[in-house]
Amino acid sequence: MRRERTAVYLLFFLAGTAIGTWTARIPAIKESLGLGDGQLSLALLAIAAGAVAGMTAVGRLVDRYGSSRVMIPAALLQGLVLVPPAYAGGLVALMGTLLVFGMVHGVLDVAMNANAVEVERAGGRPIMSSFHAVYSIGGFAGATTGGLFAHAELAPSATFLSAGAVIVLLAVWAARWALRSAPSGEHAAGERAGRPKGIAFLGVLAFCCLVGEGAAADWSSVYLREDLAASPGFAAAGYAAFSVMMTAGRLAGDRLAARFGPVPLVRCCGLLAAAGLGLALLGGHPVTGVIGFGCFGAGLSCIVPQVFSAAGNREPAFAGRALARVASIGYLGFLSGPVFIGLVAEQAGLPRALVIPSLLAAFVALTATALRTRTRTPAG
């Protein structure tokens, strides 16, 4: 399965690259269109709405036609739809192009995770965490590339055209090696058997984890700067530590899952995340804050990959719909969590508000047994 695994690695990398490239050029897009913060928020909301819509709609297509038949066209489209936002002439046009961009990304996210589950199942050993690590690496590569284009004072259109062309070319190359998954072949008996149970709760676990990821992205630097009196440069180290440790944890996650199993791994990760954020909140010093956010990232690193693997393996015939449901619920946590934390911080202060993702991580640890594989007894 080396070629098939490499193909999925590449698609995860390209998906992360597309998001990272777009993120790096947001300031230039905002300036060129003369957008205020509120208007930019509306544009970014269009990406989120598109992603959720794409995730929700694609599950049945993956199950009916096979993940590879959805994944490859979506990967090609991801490179193409990266370009139009650079040519948007106003807010409405930008929102429309970003809606499409988010929708394609959501479709690709579910399809490539479904294919990753199939490759993992065929290989007979855990590899899901490393796929998600490569996505993070792709995001870093895209952000770095976009930053270099910005430093050279090149227009966003040049950035997106270059990155989009590379994404399309590499997606074509990955298509040659991708695992050709067969359609599920659903029939009446399969439909009567119903969808696998427990998928919604797996979505809740993903929601809890992604609330923490969103909180770290949006509030770690603010907490270090305003509550721990860190310098502006050192305040940024909180999220940097979180990101580096999350990537490192995902690179090690497959070996840990193979040795200890998904349930003990997720339980320990949830406890580490809760304790790490607790250290950041109770330590009272910028250094302990950075260390705490690093531990928080390491703890969260393996949870979502194991949740996705459990969802995809719960019932292979419904893997697409299961992953779509889990991903869409989880993504809502990434979007709504930081907003809710901000509302709580307004009333009770940011340190108390950041207790929420710590408690959610502890909840994941306590309920990790939900990841155990459940086999359905044949009717008869």
Side-chain angles (χ1 to χ4, degrees):
M1 300 300 296
R2 181 176 298 174
R3 288 188 173 188
E4 292 83 353
R5 188 168 65 248
T6 300
V8 184
Y9 277 135
L10 183 55
L11 292 179
F12 270 81
F13 178 83
L14 296 179
T17 299
I19 289 292
T21 304
W22 154 251
T23 301
R25 300 316 313 263
I26 288 176
I29 295 288
K30 180 186 179 187
E31 181 180 357
S32 67
L33 296 180
L35 301 179
D37 291 341
Q39 291 174 311
L40 179 62
S41 297
L42 288 176
L44 298 178
L45 183 62
I47 293 184
V52 172
M55 290 174 180
T56 303
V58 74
R60 186 174 293 274
L61 295 177
V62 169
D63 291 337
R64 178 171 296 178
Y65 299 109
S67 61
S68 59
R69 289 183 175 88
V70 178
M71 175 181 70
I72 298 303
L76 295 170
L77 282 173
Q78 185 77 107
L80 297 177
V81 300
L82 176 62
V83 177
Y87 294 95
L91 176 61
V92 174
L94 181 63
M95 290 180 67
T97 58
L98 292 180
L99 182 72
V100 175
F101 177 78
M103 189 175 298
V104 172
H105 191 79
V107 169
L108 177 59
D109 188 279
V110 172
M112 69 185 183
N113 272 287
N115 197 261
V117 169
E118 294 168 12
V119 171
E120 182 180 59
R121 190 185 304 124
R125 61 188 180 90
I127 52 175
M128 185 63 80
S129 288
S130 60
F131 287 134
H132 286 251
V134 169
Y135 180 91
S136 300
I137 295 170
F140 177 79
T144 301
T145 301
L148 291 174
F149 273 78
H151 181 72
E153 298 184 352
L154 296 172
S157 57
T159 309
F160 296 160
L161 282 168
S162 301
V166 171
I167 289 171
V168 169
L169 290 174
L170 292 179
V172 170
W173 181 80
R176 300 170 54 197
W177 286 1
L179 177 66
R180 303 300 177 185
S181 52
S184 64
E186 294 178 29
H187 47 75
E191 292 288 355
R192 285 196 301 269
R195 299 182 187 183
K197 296 180 179 180
I199 293 302
F201 191 76
L202 291 178
V204 170
L205 297 185
F207 180 94
C208 294
C209 183
L210 289 172
V211 165
E213 290 191 32
D218 290 0
W219 292 108
S220 59
S221 297
V222 176
Y223 170 72
L224 286 168
R225 176 68 178 144
E226 297 184 358
D227 292 276
L228 298 185
S231 66
F234 197 80
Y239 186 63
F242 175 89
S243 300
V244 168
M245 292 304 294
M246 172 165 278
T247 302
R250 286 179 170 174
L251 289 172
D254 293 331
R255 291 189 295 274
L256 295 173
R259 181 170 183 178
F260 300 108
V263 173
L265 175 60
V266 169
R267 180 174 288 124
C268 291
C269 282
L271 292 174
L272 175 61
L277 187 52
L279 173 64
L281 297 176
L282 298 175
H285 192 278
V287 172
T288 57
V290 171
I291 294 172
F293 276 107
C295 293
F296 188 48
L300 294 183
S301 63
C302 297
I303 297 175
V304 166
Q306 296 306 314
V307 169
F308 277 25
S309 181
N313 284 297
R314 188 63 54 90
E315 175 52 72
F318 295 96
R321 273 166 279 188
L323 284 166
R325 191 173 187 186
V326 169
S328 57
I329 294 173
Y331 196 60
L332 288 174
F334 186 81
L335 295 173
S336 63
V339 176
F340 181 72
I341 288 171
L343 294 174
V344 175
E346 189 72 23
Q347 302 298 320
L350 185 55
R352 289 188 177 90
L354 287 174
V355 172
I356 295 171
S358 181
L359 293 176
L360 291 178
F363 173 78
V364 171
L366 292 173
T367 58
T369 53
L371 273 72
R372 286 178 180 158
T373 302
R374 302 178 185 180
T375 56
R376 183 177 292 159
T377 304

